[in-house]
Amino acid sequence: MSQPHSRRESLPPSTPATVSVFASPASWIESDALDQCQQVAALDGMIHVAAMPDLHPGKGAPIGAAMASTVLYPFLVGSDIGCGIAVFPIRLKRVVPERLAARFPDLDRALDPERDANDPAWAVVHCEIPAGHLEGLGTVGRGNHFVELARVDTVCDSGHAARLGLDAGDLVLIVHSGSRGLGERILRAHTEVHGAGPVSDPAAYLAMHDDAVRWGSLNRRLMAARVAYALGAEPSEPFVDQCHNLVEVHDGVYLHRKGAAPGDGRDVLIAGTRGTSSYLVAAHAGPDANHSVAHGAGRKMSRADALRRGRAKHTVDELRRTAVGSLVVCGDRQLLFEEAPTAYKRIEQVIADLVDHHLATPVATTTPLVTYKTPDLGPTHRPDRRDQRRKRGRV
DNA sequence: ATGTTC
């Protein structure tokens, strides 16, 4: 077993917080992200920072880290409070990716209780809408968010998979999304007064935070139902739904997760990329890892780099029809380059690091068939001037 | 990641 402390940085004696990086030397971790871990470790009240193998630099705080502290810092969770990944079983009669891709609903358009009163997706809502927040309900958002139809590929632990009711060849919907404008509003309200400082009233923040976590989970269920109906299937209960951006309170300690999934005995889907497999794992991370595991492959390049280098390296067509034969529904060219599989680390290495450090055990892999990002260029699309210029050139 | 955008 490789030691999680092999990369423990030397800390000034005045800083009691420890930093553990759960990655092998073979895994590339940007030094900026490690610097951010040290900056977090130096915050008042910080106890322990556990960095996952998908660690990469974020805005202020690193992404792919679980941070335990006696003080609650909203910026360590970020604006997308409640973001997570849910996996739903889905049964379809015919699986023709091209046909299915064309049937995905418009997940940029929110569900409106009045206008869409008859939408059957509302059936999955069994509670009040958290915070009464209707804006953006049922929408996927942007960035690394997606809704993916995938097929269970390799079953690594047949007993565990059977307990979940999963078998090789089964179809699933993977939904990665969060609390949209609600979480952003909650962080902004804090930041406008306190910046990156701690909350003065943890209970008040946590009440709003918990609403955003519930809203994010409900949003994933609503989207899964919208997609299931649109593809001619019935909605289903998720067998995995884990939030990787949140704060948990344990015995007076605030455990901030930022791109780090709960790893204490739960099953987690660790997302690959739009063009590579994802891994369903049984997570069993202990206190050294702040009870957390990775949440995905992790970015290897910044969005700006991915855009610049991707334009030289890829065509739009190869990003929309991937190496594994899956389709990517995405009418936003820039996003397509930013989210290119080559902009991410290899998911196999991330999983290997978790296994080597005894944080997780693979249960099954999934292979994408159709990944939805944002509505495709429709038949009514009229390219603007810039698009026309690109069309004549490479892109 | 988000809402907003002269």
Side-chain angles (χ1 to χ4, degrees):
Chain A
M1 143 186 193
S2 45
Q3 294 300 311
H5 304 297
S6 59
R7 288 203 190 182
R8 185 184 288 233
E9 312 291 315
S10 57
L11 297 162
S14 58
T15 309
T18 47
V19 177
S20 296
V21 182
F22 292 83
S24 69
S27 295
W28 168 245
I29 306 273
E30 247 184 277
S31 63
D32 285 357
L34 294 171
D35 290 348
Q36 286 184 333
C37 287
Q38 294 302 335
Q39 287 157 18
V40 168
L43 291 171
D44 276 350
M46 194 57 58
I47 299 165
H48 182 56
V49 176
M52 299 295 127
D54 57 341
L55 187 79
H56 58 281
K59 189 179 164 188
I63 300 167
M67 300 153 279
S69 155
T70 57
V71 174
L72 172 47
Y73 294 97
F75 88 99
L76 293 183
V77 173
S79 64
D80 198 2
I81 304 161
C83 186
I85 298 181
V87 187
F88 304 77
I90 183 170
R91 290 172 115 76
L92 297 172
K93 292 197 185 81
R94 297 183 63 207
V95 182
V96 183
E98 291 77 5
R99 286 174 179 269
L100 294 169
R103 289 173 66 174
F104 268 70
D106 179 352
L107 297 178
D108 275 0
R109 195 179 72 80
L111 279 175
D112 184 285
E114 288 174 19
R115 190 191 52 211
D116 304 312
N118 296 323
D119 194 306
W122 291 112
V124 303
V125 181
H126 301 297
C127 57
E128 297 286 300
I129 307 292
H133 186 80
L134 287 169
E135 201 178 311
L137 190 62
T139 64
V140 64
R142 291 291 167 101
N144 58 359
H145 293 174
F146 64 85
V147 177
E148 182 172 285
L149 175 67
R151 195 189 291 282
V152 177
D153 188 5
T154 308
V155 171
C156 316
D157 182 338
S158 52
H160 197 124
R163 284 198 294 282
L164 289 172
L166 262 185
D167 205 354
D170 286 355
L171 298 175
V172 292
L173 278 178
I174 303 170
V175 182
H176 178 191
S177 188
S179 59
R180 311 287 286 107
L182 179 58
E184 197 272 341
R185 202 172 70 188
I186 294 166
L187 179 66
R188 185 155 35 84
H190 173 82
T191 308
E192 277 172 359
V193 183
H194 302 286
V199 294
S200 48
D201 183 350
Y205 170 81
L206 287 170
M208 293 184 286
H209 160 283
D210 292 353
D211 273 339
V213 170
R214 282 191 288 270
W215 198 98
S217 181
L218 177 65
N219 197 37
R220 292 188 284 279
R221 287 165 189 254
L222 266 172
M223 273 185 277
R226 292 182 84 174
V227 172
Y229 282 119
L231 300 186
E234 292 296 313
S236 59
E237 285 294 303
F239 46 66
V240 170
D241 183 15
Q242 298 300 347
C243 171
H244 50 237
N245 290 354
L246 85 169
V247 58
E248 290 175 4
V249 191
H250 299 286
D251 299 326
V253 171
Y254 299 104
L255 176 56
H256 310 76
R257 286 204 178 86
K258 174 70 174 168
D264 45 2
R266 284 181 270 191
D267 298 329
V268 178
L269 185 114
I270 302 182
T273 69
R274 278 18 75 213
T276 57
S277 296
S278 293
Y279 282 71
L280 180 66
V281 305
H284 35 77
D288 275 3
N290 274 342
H291 310 280
S292 300
V293 294
H295 79 309
R299 293 200 75 84
K300 189 168 66 183
M301 336 173 174
S302 68
R303 292 187 174 276
D305 282 350
L307 190 59
R308 192 163 39 77
R309 296 167 66 168
R311 278 184 167 142
K313 194 158 51 179
H314 307 295
T315 62
V316 164
D317 284 348
E318 76 190 60
L319 295 173
R320 292 174 43 156
R321 163 78 74 175
T322 75
V324 298
S326 66
L327 298 178
V328 178
V329 178
C330 183
D332 180 337
R333 284 183 163 83
Q334 178 171 325
L335 187 60
L336 214 39
F337 286 109
E338 289 175 356
E339 291 289 309
T342 47
Y344 283 84
K345 301 177 194 189
R346 280 183 64 243
I347 184 67
E348 288 77 14
Q349 184 64 55
V350 170
I351 299 297
D353 285 354
L354 294 176
V355 171
D356 286 351
H357 290 100
H358 305 292
L359 303 189
T361 307
V363 174
T365 68
T366 63
T367 302
L369 294 165
V370 178
T371 306
Y372 176 100
K373 296 286 295 178
T374 191
D376 218 334
L377 307 172
T380 57
H381 174 74
R382 293 286 177 273
D384 63 23
R385 265 185 204 159
R386 199 197 300 178
D387 280 345
Q388 285 172 357
R389 271 203 305 277
R390 281 188 194 139
K391 221 170 187 175
R392 279 182 233 119
R394 196 193 317 262
V395 170

